[in-house]
Amino acid sequence: MEKKKAALATANKRRRSPGKKGLDQMSPQEIVAELDKYVVGQKEAKKAVSIALRNRIRRQKLDREMAEEIAPKNIIMIGPTGVGKTEIARRLARLANSPFLKVEATKYTEVGYVGRDVESMVRDLVEIAVDQVRMEKLLEVEEKAEGNMEERLIDLIVPTMHEMPSGEADSARELERVEKLRERIRKQFRAGKLDQRMVDVDVRDQGGAPFSFQVFEGSSMEEVQFNMREMLSSMMEAKPRKVRMRVDEAAEYLMQEEEQKLVDMDQVARMALDRVEQNGIIFLDELDKIAGRESGHGPEVSREGVQRDILPIVEGTNISTRYGMLRTDHILFIAAGAFHVSRPSDLIPELQGRFPIRVEMGALSEEDFVRILKEPRNALIKQYMALMATEGIRLRFTPDAIREIARLAGMVNDSTENIGARRLHTIMEALLEEISFKASHLRRKLVRIDAAYVRRKLQALAEDKDTSRYIL
């Protein structure tokens, strides 16, 4: 129950407009300022995505005919790994409360090959939107569902008047006694005093969920398989059976039942489809891995085939999902890739034209690493300080320690493989490994980390290229 309430609270927090202004009132500059709280640097990329998001808001204010004609300006982010491409797209989606999906282009194959078809990315996005809308609806019915759950639970403990013998039920005094008893039981339940008590609950086996037959023609193989499983599940009758369980477990089960009764899943599906059509964002990573238009033989044929399969989805087409047909005309696609070997011009011309905005993202410098460690709301140092604080340990990083960590991260990136800001994660884990291991038994609760401490722990490791390749 507590986990569910926490999840609902998180969903409610995300649903609320960021800051003091609603999203529809935020200028591109203010959107960039929000992204700056989590991602260091990369001003051009932030500028591009903020304009794309603002254009969505502008489009929603137009008349229907004009709004249909305006297509989203899709973006290609070009840069090495670990510079913030995915994080910018993810934070943008959270800011807009948009359904967001990150996929790798390399996981798809062209039609006729074994593997996932590209249409599945849209279906996955719809599933995310359904979960998103469902959580919002659960928030709306939470109070009523909780009240209904309490009544059903108390019914299991205290008999209702219609279950009592007729003589007793007719007595006003008996009615008053039962009501007082129910109220006392309610207070005890809310105080958690009945959690370990056992009750018998009517539990329905899985199955029997309403199923709407889909037209299989034109659907992908995995869509057909899913629909078949759903159809077989719907044919199974849900037979209620008595299960003895603790009160806290019964409350969780009954709460779920009441929520299912109160949430209209048909409405959720309609809202989810509309949200994806109007606000969906797909982050298509590793686009450079499928770039290449050489004709002939070998894997090049498949790479160009994947591009040609992606093209109609980016252009705008109708996709069959288990919730109905969905148009992809106004989904925003943000593609990314390192493009070390290939170039955006190696993509087929038609696909290039569907990504009119190109943004080049630079490699991170030592100064960027210093800022990444300190400035963002989710900065690594803040995370480790919070983790250790749960053990009563107070970590203190001196400014020269932070700069030394950044220097070593840059040095290892230069000497081995440049993985950008992700190198900071491996550096910090190696640096704090001993403290994390002994935290529960440390007598000194204040641990000061300075540059000398960092060098003592990591310098030799960072300079040994053979070792650092595997550890850092």
Side-chain angles (χ1 to χ4, degrees):
M1 183 75 70
E2 293 303 320
K3 289 182 180 179
K4 176 168 284 188
K5 287 185 177 181
L8 290 171
T10 301
N12 191 35
K13 186 177 180 181
R14 288 182 181 176
R15 186 176 58 168
R16 290 195 296 265
S17 300
K20 294 181 180 179
K21 290 186 177 181
L23 184 64
D24 59 344
Q25 298 175 309
M26 295 180 72
S27 66
Q29 295 95 324
E30 289 169 321
I31 294 172
V32 169
E34 284 293 321
L35 294 174
D36 283 340
K37 295 175 182 177
Y38 300 96
V39 183
V40 168
Q42 312 301 356
K43 292 295 183 184
E44 290 303 313
K46 292 175 183 174
K47 183 178 177 182
V49 298
S50 68
I51 293 172
L53 184 58
R54 185 62 186 172
N55 280 339
R56 276 193 161 181
I57 298 167
R58 291 165 178 155
R59 176 180 165 272
Q60 292 170 0
K61 297 178 180 179
L62 299 174
D63 63 81
R64 190 181 186 87
E65 184 178 352
M66 179 60 73
E68 283 296 317
E69 297 299 321
I70 297 177
K73 303 300 183 285
N74 299 318
I75 303 165
I76 293 182
M77 295 183 182
I78 304 166
T81 184
V83 297
K85 300 188 293 292
T86 305
E87 190 65 12
I88 287 175
R90 182 180 288 115
R91 293 294 173 182
L92 183 78
R94 289 187 182 181
L95 193 62
N97 193 32
S98 298
F100 173 80
L101 176 71
K102 175 185 181 293
V103 294
E104 289 75 36
T106 50
K107 75 191 293 185
Y108 301 105
T109 60
E110 66 175 309
V111 174
Y113 285 72
V114 176
R116 298 202 74 188
D117 68 280
V118 295
E119 290 185 358
S120 63
M121 71 173 76
V122 179
R123 297 189 186 101
D124 291 343
L125 185 63
V126 172
E127 293 293 342
I128 290 169
V130 167
D131 288 342
Q132 190 181 55
V133 175
R134 181 174 171 274
M135 291 298 288
E136 292 173 5
K137 291 297 180 184
L138 287 178
L139 280 169
E140 295 175 7
V141 303
E142 182 184 15
E143 188 174 341
K144 186 175 181 180
E146 195 162 4
N148 293 348
M149 176 271 292
E150 277 190 2
E151 291 301 320
R152 288 183 61 186
L153 194 61
I154 294 171
D155 287 345
L156 296 175
I157 302 172
V158 182
T160 56
M161 292 308 296
H162 69 270
E163 294 173 340
M164 298 174 61
S166 58
E168 294 183 10
D170 293 339
S171 169
R173 184 179 300 175
E174 187 63 25
L175 174 62
E176 184 180 354
R177 186 188 71 80
V178 170
E179 287 303 318
K180 287 181 178 179
L181 178 59
R182 290 176 67 86
E183 193 59 35
R184 187 163 67 248
I185 293 295
R186 190 189 312 278
K187 291 178 180 178
Q188 290 177 349
F189 166 69
R190 290 179 178 177
K193 295 179 180 179
L194 302 178
D195 286 353
Q196 301 304 312
R197 181 168 175 169
M198 304 300 289
V199 292
D200 292 324
V201 182
D202 285 330
V203 174
R204 291 187 176 273
D205 294 325
Q206 293 300 315
F211 172 78
S212 57
F213 285 87
Q214 300 288 328
V215 178
F216 292 161
E217 185 179 355
S219 298
S220 68
M221 182 56 67
E222 62 181 299
E223 184 78 356
V224 171
Q225 290 173 347
F226 185 90
N227 286 334
M228 288 297 293
R229 287 197 300 269
E230 186 111 328
M231 182 176 65
L232 291 172
S233 175
S234 69
M235 291 177 178
M236 298 170 58
E237 289 188 12
K239 299 178 180 179
R241 56 192 175 90
K242 290 281 186 183
V243 175
R244 194 161 183 78
M245 60 178 74
R246 299 197 313 267
V247 165
D248 56 342
E249 295 172 340
E252 181 75 24
Y253 177 79
L254 294 175
M255 185 72 175
Q256 290 177 2
E257 275 200 347
E258 291 301 321
E259 288 171 345
Q260 289 173 6
K261 292 177 185 177
L262 293 171
V263 173
D264 183 353
M265 286 306 295
D266 289 335
Q267 182 190 31
V268 167
R270 289 193 301 271
M271 291 178 65
L273 287 173
D274 182 68
R275 187 172 293 188
V276 170
E277 287 184 342
Q278 303 302 323
N279 297 308
I281 298 175
I282 292 181
F283 183 78
L284 193 59
D285 204 3
E286 297 184 352
L287 188 68
D288 55 321
K289 304 289 177 55
I290 62 166
R293 292 180 286 128
E294 296 84 348
S295 60
H297 59 281
E300 303 298 343
V301 177
S302 182
R303 293 199 305 194
E304 183 176 340
V306 175
Q307 293 181 58
R308 293 199 179 279
D309 288 347
I310 290 175
L311 179 61
I313 295 176
V314 179
E315 282 182 327
T317 188
N318 291 327
I319 303 292
S320 171
T321 76
R322 57 187 289 235
Y323 303 100
M325 297 298 292
L326 179 132
R327 291 176 56 202
T328 65
D329 300 62
H330 299 289
I331 293 176
L332 175 64
F333 287 85
I334 303 176
F339 288 98
H340 290 316
V341 179
S342 58
R343 300 182 300 274
S345 58
D346 291 328
L347 297 166
I348 59 175
E350 300 92 330
L351 193 59
Q352 290 182 49
R354 288 294 167 177
F355 287 88
I357 302 174
R358 313 274 174 86
V359 180
E360 189 162 355
M361 303 177 73
L364 298 172
S365 65
E366 183 180 318
E367 194 58 40
D368 289 328
F369 285 151
V370 172
R371 294 182 59 201
I372 289 169
L373 286 168
K374 295 193 307 181
E375 294 181 11
R377 285 186 176 177
N378 59 337
L380 268 181
I381 284 180
K382 296 175 185 176
Q383 292 179 26
Y384 279 100
M385 289 173 67
L387 284 172
M388 290 299 101
T390 63
E391 302 274 5
I393 304 296
R394 289 180 294 157
L395 288 181
R396 293 292 180 267
F397 289 84
T398 63
D400 61 340
I402 294 173
R403 188 158 293 278
E404 186 65 17
I405 293 169
R407 184 187 71 81
L408 291 173
M411 186 176 77
V412 176
N413 270 350
D414 291 340
S415 61
T416 58
E417 188 76 21
N418 188 347
I419 60 172
R422 293 187 178 94
R423 185 70 65 188
L424 293 171
H425 290 266
T426 59
I427 292 282
M428 290 292 289
E429 278 296 319
L431 176 65
L432 299 174
E433 181 182 33
E434 186 177 350
I435 296 173
S436 296
F437 184 70
K438 297 180 178 179
S440 303
H441 304 286
L442 285 178
R443 292 184 178 179
R444 289 179 55 205
K445 296 302 182 182
L446 176 61
V447 179
R448 183 174 181 272
I449 297 175
D450 56 16
Y453 182 93
V454 175
R455 282 191 292 269
R456 187 168 66 253
K457 290 287 184 182
L458 301 177
Q459 184 70 41
L461 195 60
E463 291 176 351
D464 186 339
K465 293 183 180 180
D466 291 332
T467 306
S468 65
R469 188 180 301 276
Y470 296 102
I471 298 177
L472 298 181

